[in-house]
Amino acid sequence: MIEDFFQRTRAMFDLPKGVVYLDGNSLGAMPKSARERVLHELDESWGRELIRAWNTAGWIDLPARVGDRIGALIGAPKGSVVAGDSTSVNLFKALLAALELAAPRKVILSDSGNFPTDLYVAEGVCRLLGRGHELRVVDPKAVECALNEGVGVLMLTEVGYRTGRKHDMRLLTEKAKALGAVMLWDLAHSAGAFPVDLAGCGVDFAVGCGYKYLNGGPGAPAFIYVRPDLQASVAPALSGWMGHAAPFAFELGYRPAPAVDRLRVGTPPVLSMSALDAALDVFEGVDMLALQERSIALSEDFIRRIEADCPELQLASPRDSAWRGSQVSFRFTEGYAAMQALIARGVIGDFREPDVMRFGFAPLYIGFSDVEMAARTLVEIVGRRLWDRPEYRARNKVT
Ligand SMILES: *Cc1c(COP(=O)(O)O)cnc(C)c1O
């Protein structure tokens, strides 16, 4: 039954033959629907309708439409998520809004497992405000202890990109809010990977990525969530015309649009947002809990195989699946070269400094035979030192 279900979702993707794709945590595979949709938007909408397509093809409503579809996967009510911009830019928007609500508190608390762009953006926001704001970065395990009444915004990524370690969203949100802090989550490695309950957890702001588990394509638009009852008090820092109450009134002064639409900035990238919209078709009828169970089963199988036959590698991810996202990481001193050797044999994962080999398990298109193939290939590469070649050590720009 469940096997049949995932066979069907796999058939919705266009994957090259002979490739085992374990990098959906970084760039999701291509749904056939996304390809068809982009071709349609090019040939029919842009090509034939030209500028009329903003109305006739519904381009103008894409950010809200795609936002709502993503919202359904992350426990966000309709009208609370809007798609657009990159995750970094959305984080900038959310963080400025969150700090304004948190005033006079000036501390942003985050952790050292966070993705660097999140920390860089927070640094920039502190500098830009020029009012003594401070980014405090602690170990992921020390976040709960570091929360106190001085913290204005707790800014965390639910799943750490390096090890796949997962925070307890419910507990940390509850604790942050009880202490009067504003809660901002980055769902880059959560959305489309397992159930998220933004509304149920009382999260204030969230952002996330369109090109990882949501399969929206390279550089796909990201998304931003604002808790419904906060939306009216958000004064957008990036107050662009698409976030205006009446963009086509062309008024001289800015008036924010109602609700989350005020977090739109400029003209949406229609082609890539259409790809993301169509990619979300794959999630129709998918039970996120079943998806998570499948991801855990695949991950456990991979861990078991590697630990049994490849003692050179050390598990870097939490052993308990309750504290893992949908990826498994192993440490290996020659991890970069080993990953290149693996990729050369058609098993695609990636590498993060200094020694982490990452394997993402996107159950919509990865099955147990893929896990078996990947593990067997990796065991052979490490066991027979097949990674030990100069061409596998040469670093590419993107690792
Ligand atoms: C992937 C990822 C990003 C990516 O940000 P972009 O602006 O889309 O490049 C940001 N934050 C986290 C936590 C990520 O995992």
Side-chain angles (χ1 to χ4, degrees), residues 86-89 114-115 117-118 157 161 186 188-189 209 211-212:
S86 64
T87 308
S88 305
V89 170
N114 206 341
F115 192 73
T117 202
D118 296 46
T157 295
Y161 74 103
D186 188 329
H189 289 270
C209 189
Y211 53 77
K212 291 173 180 163

Side-chain angles (χ1 to χ4, degrees), residues 144-157:
E144 199 183 339
C145 289
L147 262 175
N148 58 42
E149 286 174 353
V151 173
V153 177
L154 179 58
M155 179 192 84
L156 296 172
T157 295

Side-chain angles (χ1 to χ4, degrees), residues 92-353:
F92 177 84
K93 297 189 283 190
L95 189 53
L96 276 166
L99 283 171
E100 205 158 282
L101 293 175
R105 299 189 188 187
K106 292 195 157 85
V107 173
I108 304 163
L109 178 64
S110 193
D111 73 66
S112 55
N114 206 341
F115 192 73
T117 202
D118 296 46
L119 302 176
Y120 302 162
V121 166
E123 262 184 50
V125 162
C126 292
R127 200 168 54 238
L128 171 77
L129 289 172
R131 299 201 299 266
H133 286 82
E134 175 202 338
L135 170 63
R136 196 173 288 165
V137 179
V138 301
D139 186 87
K141 292 188 181 117
V143 169
E144 199 183 339
C145 289
L147 262 175
N148 58 42
E149 286 174 353
V151 173
V153 177
L154 179 58
M155 179 192 84
L156 296 172
T157 295
E158 187 181 16
V159 176
Y161 74 103
R162 208 181 255 120
T163 64
R165 180 188 185 277
K166 191 173 171 198
H167 277 302
D168 187 334
M169 177 180 287
R170 196 172 295 277
L171 178 130
L172 289 171
T173 304
E174 230 167 62
K175 176 134 195 215
K177 302 197 61 178
L179 288 165
V182 177
M183 184 73 236
L184 163 54
W185 285 102
D186 188 329
L187 305 178
H189 289 270
S190 309
F194 50 78
V196 177
D197 186 13
L198 288 181
C201 292
V203 171
D204 299 313
F205 294 89
V207 300
C209 189
Y211 53 77
K212 291 173 180 163
Y213 293 100
L214 295 177
N215 311 309
F223 63 89
I224 183 165
Y225 163 84
V226 185
R227 209 181 84 202
D229 53 315
L230 287 180
Q231 291 167 0
S233 44
V234 167
L238 283 176
S239 40
W241 74 306
M242 283 291 157
H244 191 278
F248 286 86
F250 295 101
E251 294 166 11
L252 284 184
Y254 179 77
R255 278 192 299 127
V260 80
D261 278 343
R262 65 183 56 190
L263 288 153
R264 291 180 58 172
V265 182
T267 305
V270 168
L271 296 178
S272 55
M273 205 174 285
S274 300
L276 173 57
D277 186 23
L280 293 169
D281 292 353
V282 176
F283 285 93
E284 295 292 335
V286 172
D287 171 358
M288 294 305 287
L289 206 55
L291 190 79
Q292 181 178 34
E293 280 167 13
R294 175 86 165 176
S295 144
I296 291 172
L298 294 167
S299 305
E300 299 277 286
D301 189 37
F302 186 68
I303 293 172
R304 186 181 55 73
R305 288 172 186 276
I306 297 302
E307 291 198 321
D309 297 328
C310 204
E312 295 88 342
L313 269 57
Q314 275 106 46
L315 184 67
S317 298
R319 186 166 296 281
D320 182 349
S321 61
W323 301 113
R324 268 200 322 262
S326 202
Q327 77 178 60
V328 171
S329 302
F330 278 96
R331 287 187 201 285
F332 179 47
T333 38
E334 295 294 339
Y336 184 81
M339 185 52 77
Q340 297 313 304
L342 205 52
I343 293 169
R345 287 161 180 79
V347 178
I348 303 180
D350 65 18
F351 173 82
R352 288 294 176 262
E353 294 291 350

